[in-house]
Amino acid sequence: GEPDYAKAYECYALAAALTHSSEATYKLGDMYSRGRSVRRDLGRAHALWEHSLELASDCVEQAQPAVRIAKLLVDPNCGDWGMQRDPLRALHLFQVAEIGLRLDIADGQTYYRRRLQEAIEGQKRARALLEEEGGALE
């Protein structure tokens, strides 16, 4: 069948409200980031992903919101969404995501391999930005 984004939004919003689900919350953020059934709003998506990260109980649950937030923190346009670029926090979040994704993949969820590569490549990008900023770790 065809995707029903309005119904998906309704289900994720209900789950997030009733159960404080980390997964439902980051998926709501995804809907805002992509403009599915709602107006595209990366600032709202970011807030939902941050809340999802707070709700996560372990590194496996942290992986999905962490990689999404980290990608925003190294994006040169992040100021357009009311955020400051933060490659050091991005590096940390990409590392958290890598650990959680590796555990997911080891548990048979091999469809996360591409997302794992994003986390690994993101770490390289964050490190390069840190070097451009004059070696913030010196």
Side-chain angles (χ1 to χ4, degrees):
E2 292 295 315
D4 185 343
Y5 296 117
K7 187 67 172 173
Y9 179 85
E10 191 178 299
C11 291
Y12 292 143
L14 184 62
L18 294 178
T19 66
H20 303 289
S21 164
S22 174
E23 183 176 9
T25 303
Y26 88 73
K27 288 185 178 190
L28 274 177
D30 288 352
M31 296 196 80
Y32 278 96
S33 75
R34 297 176 184 139
R36 299 244 168 100
S37 188
V38 292
R39 182 180 54 81
R40 187 170 190 253
D41 183 344
L42 285 172
R44 179 76 174 132
H46 174 241
L48 286 162
W49 293 333
E50 289 285 0
H51 186 59
S52 174
L53 191 61
E54 292 169 9
L55 293 172
S57 62
D58 59 27
C59 63
V60 171
E61 282 189 12
Q62 291 172 337
Q64 298 300 328
V67 75
R68 287 160 171 78
I69 295 165
K71 286 166 60 174
L72 288 180
L73 294 174
V74 295
D75 190 301
N77 298 315
C78 67
D80 296 346
W81 314 307
M83 301 171 53
Q84 284 191 326
R85 206 149 112 182
D86 189 345
L88 188 58
R89 181 163 185 245
L91 176 61
H92 169 75
L93 291 172
F94 279 129
Q95 291 170 333
V96 167
E98 179 184 0
I99 293 166
L101 291 165
R102 287 187 184 279
L103 290 170
D104 273 337
I105 292 166
D107 195 35
Q109 298 176 46
T110 57
Y111 46 87
Y112 284 133
R113 286 186 179 135
R114 192 178 85 201
R115 179 70 34 93
L116 174 60
Q117 280 309 119
E118 287 178 20
I120 292 167
E121 292 300 316
Q123 290 175 54
K124 292 176 187 174
R125 173 81 175 121
R127 285 186 184 101
L129 288 171
L130 286 168
E131 291 300 317
E132 287 174 18
E133 292 178 357
L137 299 177
E138 291 178 5

